[in-house]
Amino acid sequence: MTSQTTPAPAPEQIRRAPKVLLHDHLDGGLRPGTIIDLAREVGYEALPETEADKLGVWFREAADSGSLPRYLETFAHTCAVMQTKEALFRVAAECAQDLAEDGVVYAEIRYAPEQHLEKGLTLEEVVEAVNAGFREGERRAKESGHRIRVGALLTAMRHAARALEIAELANRYRDFGVVGFDIAGAEAGFPPTRHLDAFEYLKRENNHFTIHAGEAFGLPSIWQALQWCGADRLGHGVRIIDDIQIADDGTVELGRLASYVRDKRIPLEMCPTSNLQTGAATSYAEHPIGLLRRLHFRATVNTDNRLMSGTSMSREFEHLVGAFGYTLDDMQWFTVNAMKSAFIPFDERLAMINDVIKPGYAELKSEWLFQQTASTRGSVASAS
Ligand SMILES: O=c1[nH]cnc2c1ncn2[C@@H]1O[C@H](CO)[C@@H](O)[C@H]1O
Ligand SMILES: [Zn+2]
């Protein structure tokens, strides 16, 4: 294709483009103003700032530590205000609304139910409040002219010991708003094999799961997640580049694990801004997503934590467009990759690709044809 048919998309086109989000934490995406409201309602007094703008900046800066464990400390404040049904409902509804307004048409949002029990909620009450919030957010989005579908992923914390219980919970709610399972939290020192019983259970149930791996720890973590635990997708997975050698003449050689990941089309849930903050990557331009896209890995673009990273799906794409010169075709490629990798049934994924994503990009890609340019605007006389 010529560059004329696929010019660099403008920020406003990026926002309108249909996007698919597979890796976003519910407790990492609250509106700062909502945190302040909820803190007031529940009497939480430990917030570092009491003005929304300043609180947003505080989260971004505190998360900019270069270390995953320190990045994760900021979640104490968001989890603290997400301990009632009402709070969970509100946060989930706003999450769906915010994503829809940003042009996200399908999202899988994760959270750890075990982190929302401090005020006496049961695990089931947590899941049901969040699900109800997502349905409300979908409804509000529709009212304002957007379409979004949201599924939940239930996360177990890798330093804790409740993975099997949470996996069973995910399985119980699998036809009721929950589409899969995940483990998250500090990676170094907490290998995914600690939770083998949970993964084996889910496999026996024919259920789906992703594992945060290859973010703060390297290839052994990815290898375990895939070959011992049987993960369907990798959360981040950026360190897979440690198994890719590039010679001086540009020849690329994949090691056994990187080959496996590419050959088996293992989806990589990549989150560029989050990786810069935790030190998993050094700059957008050097982010492994550039190489992995060139090598046709099943790479996807994600936000991880919109609050801590001050980001959105559109902003992640803007950064990538700036760093790699991506076009709408590249955006479509990432989006179709993500939709193919979602945990909902195949026929629904296919319909989203064919009936929502491709027509959405076709519409955007055709816009240049109708731009008023000097050559089509006026008569020869008026141009002189
Ligand atoms: O990038 C990440 N890597 C590992 N764990 C994370 C990341 N982002 C958030 N969480 C953890 O997942 C929990 C449930 O949503 C959050 O509370 C946070 O501790
Ligand atoms: Zn994450």
Side-chain angles (χ1 to χ4, degrees):
M1 251 187 215
T2 67
S3 62
Q4 193 180 23
T5 53
T6 57
E12 158 284 316
Q13 285 182 305
I14 294 177
R15 195 180 47 74
R16 281 190 291 134
K19 292 172 288 293
V20 170
L21 174 52
L22 299 180
H23 190 131
D24 184 274
H25 294 256
L26 185 67
D27 51 331
L30 290 77
R31 299 176 185 170
T34 298
I35 303 176
I36 290 168
D37 287 352
L38 294 175
R40 199 178 301 122
E41 282 168 28
V42 299
Y44 180 70
E45 290 176 350
L47 282 187
E49 296 286 350
T50 49
E51 276 175 43
D53 289 352
K54 287 188 184 161
L55 186 61
V57 172
W58 181 88
F59 272 104
R60 282 204 294 286
E61 289 179 352
D64 243 346
S65 58
S67 127
L68 179 60
R70 286 182 54 204
Y71 177 93
L72 295 178
E73 285 169 18
T74 59
F75 288 80
H77 296 296
T78 53
C79 287
V81 302
M82 295 170 70
Q83 300 297 335
T84 63
K85 288 183 193 176
E86 296 74 22
L88 290 164
F89 178 88
R90 173 169 174 183
V91 170
E94 291 178 353
C95 168
Q97 271 180 289
D98 291 351
L99 295 177
E101 250 162 57
D102 190 41
V104 175
V105 291
Y106 176 81
E108 292 179 0
I109 306 296
R110 64 190 74 194
Y111 63 99
E114 68 199 67
Q115 298 191 127
H116 304 280
L117 309 177
E118 281 167 23
K119 288 218 154 76
L121 292 182
T122 63
L123 291 170
E124 286 77 8
E125 284 171 331
V126 171
V127 173
E128 287 174 24
V130 172
N131 282 349
F134 286 148
R135 301 296 79 76
E136 171 67 10
E138 288 168 343
R139 196 190 58 73
R140 289 183 202 161
K142 198 168 175 186
E143 255 175 27
S144 58
H146 298 288
R147 298 197 295 182
I148 185 166
R149 177 164 165 189
V150 180
L153 299 177
L154 301 190
T155 293
M157 299 307 292
R158 56 203 308 158
H159 59 267
R162 299 185 79 157
L164 180 56
E165 195 184 353
I166 302 302
E168 286 168 350
L169 187 70
N171 204 51
R172 264 203 312 286
Y173 281 91
R174 69 184 298 180
D175 294 322
F176 304 95
V178 173
V179 298
F181 174 80
D182 162 55
I183 59 166
E187 187 174 7
F190 300 102
T193 40
R194 285 186 84 222
H195 307 288
L196 261 188
D197 53 351
F199 302 124
E200 284 173 356
Y201 164 78
L202 288 169
K203 280 193 276 185
R204 284 198 302 275
E205 294 295 332
N206 305 303
N207 211 329
H208 312 287
F209 56 95
T210 175
I211 295 181
H212 276 76
E215 177 188 21
F217 200 68
L219 296 176
S221 186
I222 295 178
W223 175 69
Q224 280 200 5
L226 294 176
Q227 313 303 14
W228 287 79
C229 306
D232 297 288
R233 307 195 304 232
L234 293 171
H236 298 285
V238 271
R239 302 304 330 160
I240 196 63
I241 46 143
D242 296 349
D243 201 32
I244 302 176
Q245 309 300 328
I246 306 177
D248 289 341
D249 66 356
T251 320
V252 175
E253 200 177 324
L254 305 192
R256 294 263 190 235
L257 183 59
S259 294
Y260 183 91
V261 168
R262 186 169 72 162
D263 293 343
K264 296 284 263 192
R265 315 307 298 138
I266 305 288
L268 302 171
E269 305 163 356
M270 315 208 84
C271 311
T273 303
S274 167
N275 291 161
L276 300 193
Q277 290 180 295
T278 62
T282 46
S283 69
Y284 291 107
E286 284 159 298
H287 193 283
I289 197 167
L291 177 65
L292 296 169
R293 192 258 176 275
R294 274 208 320 277
L295 297 176
H296 294 276
F297 278 74
R298 172 81 65 88
T300 68
V301 176
N302 302 274
T303 47
D304 209 10
N305 299 291
R306 286 168 288 120
L307 171 69
M308 286 73 180
S309 295
T311 196
S312 63
M313 276 301 273
S314 293
R315 252 170 257 150
E316 292 301 308
F317 274 113
E318 279 173 41
H319 288 302
L320 298 179
V321 165
F324 301 110
Y326 287 153
T327 63
L328 285 168
D329 285 327
D330 295 294
M331 275 192 76
Q332 176 174 331
W333 183 83
F334 282 114
T335 305
V336 168
N337 269 355
M339 200 63 238
K340 283 179 179 169
S341 313
F343 287 160
I344 55 170
F346 172 75
D347 53 344
E348 296 172 27
R349 284 183 268 155
L350 203 61
M352 283 293 262
I353 292 170
N354 289 330
D355 303 339
V356 179
I357 295 168
K358 287 187 175 172
Y361 280 91
E363 169 76 24
L364 284 167
K365 283 191 275 183
S366 69
E367 283 178 357
W368 69 277
L369 288 166
F370 303 97
Q371 271 163 16
Q372 294 270 301
T373 63
S375 61
T376 57
R377 196 187 303 129
S379 66
V380 173
S382 68
S384 64

